[in-house]
Amino acid sequence: MARTVTLIPGDGIGPEVTGSAKEVIAALGVDIEWEIAEAGESVMEKEGTPLPETVLESIRRNKVALKGPLTTPVGTGFRSVNVALRKELDLYANIRPALSLPGLDLPYKDIDILLFRENTEDLYAGVEHMVGKHAAESIKIITREGTERICRMAFEYSRDQGRRHVTVVHKANIMKYTDGLFREVFYEVAKDYENDFEEIDERIVDNMAMQLVMKPNLYDVLVCPNLYGDILSDLCAGLTGGLGVAPGANIGEDIALFEPVHGSAPKYAGQNRANPLATLLSAKNMLYYLGYNEAADRMQKAINAALKNPETRTKDLGGSAGTREFTRAIVANLG
Ligand code: NAD
């Protein structure tokens, strides 16, 4: 029986990159039926909201979704649909792997970092306001419950993957209450996993940024509050080939939403320029989540083969192919 999955095509380059994922999954022969749910800028004009209730209903019903990027206006306009989705569905963990891929000419090889970003609290809770006309305040929220569940998921998941080293990232030297609580709860949870890892340690976020640029191979699993996780995961994406290759997953109690880390890159929309790899790798991780392990392995092999040939790589990776040509090459490599 087909497994129904919600598909949010998204804004800008979203329909092209999610279209690529649909094509590759169809070629793999995985029996997935896509339930299309439109959200974002285009829907705002038609329905007066960028996140219609039907989208949330579809995800709640199917429990699994693949999502293209959604545009958020800067400064004014509607609030981020991405943040709203994570909050409404309580997708408290954002998992962002950074893995070196074959064929790319980059300063570092063999990077394999798994970053866990807390997804619902911190400065992203959206509690901000003007104080008079010339000042603004934003409230940073860190709770014991919110921290405990992201830390526990990070340890459980990393242990199941056979990882050896977990690092908590914070700025508790300055933000003694908020980041102090995040650090404290991390070490409390860590007590249950002491025997499962060779190293459990901490880095202050500014030092972490420098270390990741200088010696990324020293790091394995990072656990971060929301804002630092957002920034450091883009840094890690940069180490492995840029936003075009960075996949992500938002996980809650029983719902999982897979999406690329990158945004809607409006300047590339409709031009066959976007690299669909971040979405393809997100879709591959979705296949693992759904238990289609053999198909996911085949997909990764076909991607690796397409990456080794500059003619089938996209322009952001030094190749000459467009979204469609890269997708076709992967499909051809499936054999
Ligand atoms: P962006 O990720 O859309 O683009 C930044 C740059 O990265 C682009 O100019 C492009 O050069 C490159 N890039 C990104 N994805 C690429 C791809 N697949 N292939 C090739 N090159 C790629 O970030 P931005 O310009 O800061 O944001 C644009 C919009 O996307 C904003 O409205 C922002 O709010 C939104 N956004 C959405 C998400 C999401 O849906 N999860 C994430 C980030 C940004």
Side-chain angles (χ1 to χ4, degrees):
M1 210 177 77
R3 176 70 165 82
T4 308
V5 170
T6 302
L7 180 78
I8 303 174
D11 296 316
I13 59 172
E16 290 165 88
V17 293
T18 53
S20 167
K22 270 171 73 181
E23 199 175 323
V24 173
I25 287 180
L28 279 164
V30 179
D31 199 6
I32 283 181
E33 192 174 305
W34 301 102
E35 191 169 286
I36 308 294
E38 302 277 358
E41 214 176 20
S42 48
V43 178
M44 179 72 196
E45 286 160 26
K46 275 187 270 167
E47 305 209 18
T49 167
L51 182 56
E53 191 54 37
T54 48
V55 175
L56 293 167
E57 281 165 13
S58 171
I59 303 174
R60 285 196 183 106
R61 190 169 50 246
N62 298 323
K63 308 279 185 224
V64 177
L66 180 66
K67 175 186 153 299
L70 296 167
T71 297
T72 309
V74 177
T76 56
F78 59 83
R79 297 191 88 90
S80 166
V81 179
N82 301 305
V83 175
L85 272 169
R86 292 166 197 164
K87 271 198 192 166
E88 286 288 332
L89 301 169
D90 200 21
L91 302 172
Y92 62 87
N94 192 329
I95 309 180
R96 295 182 168 184
L99 183 68
S100 293
L101 292 159
L104 309 188
D105 186 18
L106 295 166
Y108 299 108
K109 304 269 174 247
D110 305 324
I111 291 173
D112 184 4
I113 295 172
L114 196 54
L115 187 145
F116 288 83
R117 163 187 171 195
E118 198 290 321
N119 225 3
T120 58
E121 304 192 331
D122 199 350
L123 286 160
Y124 286 63
V127 189
E128 59 170 7
H129 48 249
M130 293 302 295
V131 181
K133 271 193 184 157
H134 304 292
E137 265 179 8
S138 184
I139 313 235
K140 174 163 164 134
I141 296 168
I142 301 281
T143 68
R144 174 169 288 279
E145 189 199 4
T147 308
E148 198 174 324
R149 60 184 186 170
I150 181 73
C151 292
R152 201 161 289 286
M153 181 185 286
F155 280 116
E156 291 281 326
Y157 195 98
S158 309
R159 181 186 58 192
D160 292 350
Q161 285 210 347
R163 293 190 174 255
R164 310 299 326 147
H165 175 194
V166 183
T167 306
V168 64
V169 182
H170 61 77
K171 187 84 186 173
N173 50 333
I174 304 296
M175 280 161 277
K176 294 185 192 295
Y177 289 97
T178 48
D179 283 16
L181 181 62
F182 195 89
R183 175 181 176 277
E184 182 184 313
V185 173
F186 170 85
Y187 279 114
E188 279 169 23
V189 175
K191 284 192 191 124
D192 294 340
Y193 301 91
E194 269 166 0
N195 298 328
D196 299 318
F197 295 91
E198 279 163 20
E199 232 179 318
I200 294 174
D201 60 7
E202 61 187 292
R203 292 286 179 277
I204 290 176
V205 62
D206 36 345
N207 178 31
M208 186 77 249
M210 193 239 347
Q211 298 263 333
L212 282 170
V213 173
M214 305 276 296
K215 310 176 214 167
N217 297 98
L218 292 184
Y219 294 92
D220 184 359
V221 178
L222 309 180
V223 185
C224 312
N226 208 336
L227 178 63
Y228 310 147
D230 194 9
I231 297 167
L232 292 180
S233 58
D234 271 30
L235 192 162
C236 291
L239 296 172
T240 51
L243 284 174
V245 310
N250 298 285
I251 313 273
E253 265 337 302
D254 64 346
I255 295 179
L257 183 148
F258 296 81
E259 61 171 344
V261 169
H262 65 71
S264 54
K267 69 178 177 190
Y268 291 158
Q271 291 178 36
N272 194 32
R273 274 288 297 267
N275 185 353
L277 189 49
T279 307
L280 289 168
L281 294 173
S282 305
K284 180 202 75 175
N285 291 334
M286 183 189 83
L287 292 181
Y288 281 123
Y289 181 87
L290 290 171
Y292 298 113
N293 296 7
E294 187 266 342
D297 289 343
R298 274 173 62 216
M299 184 167 167
Q300 184 68 60
K301 280 194 193 123
I303 288 171
N304 290 354
L307 284 173
K308 282 184 189 149
N309 178 358
E311 279 173 29
T312 53
R313 249 185 261 150
T314 47
K315 294 198 175 78
D316 58 316
L317 301 180
S320 53
T323 317
R324 285 192 292 274
E325 293 73 30
F326 182 54
T327 307
R328 267 186 235 130
I330 295 168
V331 169
N333 291 334
L334 290 172

